[in-house]
Amino acid sequence: TCSVATTSSGGYCEDMNILIVGAGGVGNALARILARRSFITSVTISDYDASRAGAAVEWISKRHPEMAARFHSAAIDASSAESVAEVAKAAGADIVVNAVEPSFVKTVFQGAFDAGANYMDMAMSLSHPHPDEPYSKTGEKLGDWQFERHDEWAAADRLAVVGCGVEPGLSDIFARYAADHLFSEVDEFGVRDGANLVVTDDQGNEIFAPSFSI
C-alpha cells in the first residue's frame, strides 16, 4: 500500500485509502475531485452530521457511478482524537485529510497519528497570546503545537503536511514548481488574493456567506 500520493517513478499510487474529516465546502470539493482520480482505492467522507457525509457520497454515486463503490460515509467527532482514530482505523486510512474548522486541528492531528495514518491539513494549530505579557512577548505561534511533534512523527515514519491550504500552501507548491521548471532565475514571488464573489439567497438577495473559516 502506498502511503503518499506519488511513487518514486513519479506515477500515482494504485492503492490509497483516504479519510476526509469534514463534509463542508472544502471536504465536498476534495471528494468531488477525487471522484475523477483513478489512483484511489477508497474514500471515506466523514462529518459530525452523518447525513452531510452521506449526501456527498450520494452526489458522487449519481455523477460518477463507476466510482460509487469506492466512496463511503461515516459519522465522526472531530473534537475527539479517539473518534478520529477509530474512524481512520475502520476506513483503513493511509492518510487523514483534515477539512474542518481549525480549532479541531489538534484532535484530528493526534487521531491520525494514533491510527498510524499520514496527515494533511489546510489550517495549522491555532496561536495563543502570551499568558502574562501578550503585548510585549510572543505566545504560542501558529503551528507551534504541531511542529513540536515533528520528532514523534518522524520516529513513527509518518508524514504530516501541515498548513497546505491555498495561501500559503498550494501557492508555495506552484511557486516551487515554477522556480524548478519554468524559469532560469527568480527574484521574487508575490501572491495576491482577491475576488468579487457574491452569494445570494433564493430571492436574489445578497447574504453573508464566508467562503472559508472566519
Side-chain angles (χ1 to χ4, degrees):
T1 298
C2 294
S3 60
V4 292
T6 57
T7 64
S8 58
S9 62
Y12 285 112
C13 291
E14 295 298 327
D15 186 6
M16 179 181 289
N17 300 316
I18 302 171
L19 170 63
I20 300 174
V21 182
V26 174
N28 251 304
L30 175 58
R32 294 181 183 194
I33 292 171
L34 288 172
R36 305 195 298 270
R37 302 293 186 267
S38 61
F39 67 84
I40 61 166
T41 300
S42 73
V43 176
T44 300
I45 308 170
S46 63
D47 198 276
Y48 189 77
D49 181 351
S51 65
R52 294 179 69 185
V57 171
E58 183 179 359
W59 186 94
I60 290 170
S61 297
K62 291 179 179 178
R63 294 291 292 269
H64 304 280
E66 74 284 0
M67 297 290 285
R70 305 190 194 190
F71 282 79
H72 316 277
S73 63
I76 198 168
D77 181 358
S79 70
S80 165
E82 292 77 12
S83 175
V84 173
E86 180 181 350
V87 176
K89 289 177 181 178
D94 298 303
I95 184 168
V96 174
V97 181
N98 184 351
V100 292
E101 163 64 40
S103 60
F104 299 119
V105 162
K106 290 184 177 181
T107 46
V108 179
F109 186 80
Q110 186 63 50
F113 182 83
D114 294 342
N118 299 289
Y119 173 87
M120 176 180 283
D121 65 27
M122 284 142 271
M124 304 169 77
S125 56
L126 297 174
S127 60
H128 298 282
H130 190 280
D132 302 316
E133 300 179 60
Y135 301 110
S136 58
K137 294 184 179 179
T138 302
E140 182 178 346
K141 301 185 299 298
L142 195 71
D144 277 356
W145 184 88
Q146 288 173 292
F147 288 137
E148 287 172 358
R149 282 150 184 80
H150 167 80
D151 292 344
E152 182 181 22
W153 279 75
D157 195 26
R158 292 287 176 264
L159 175 66
V161 181
V162 299
C164 197
V166 178
E167 302 104 9
L170 193 60
S171 60
D172 292 345
I173 295 171
F174 291 158
R176 182 54 188 259
Y177 182 88
D180 289 347
H181 302 288
L182 302 181
F183 301 98
S184 59
E185 184 176 341
V186 174
D187 295 319
E188 179 181 345
F189 281 107
V191 178
R192 304 292 183 268
D193 186 1
N196 59 353
L197 175 68
V198 174
V199 180
T200 59
D201 59 20
D202 292 339
Q203 288 72 46
N205 300 310
E206 185 175 343
I207 59 174
F208 175 68
S211 57
F212 58 92
S213 170
I214 57 174

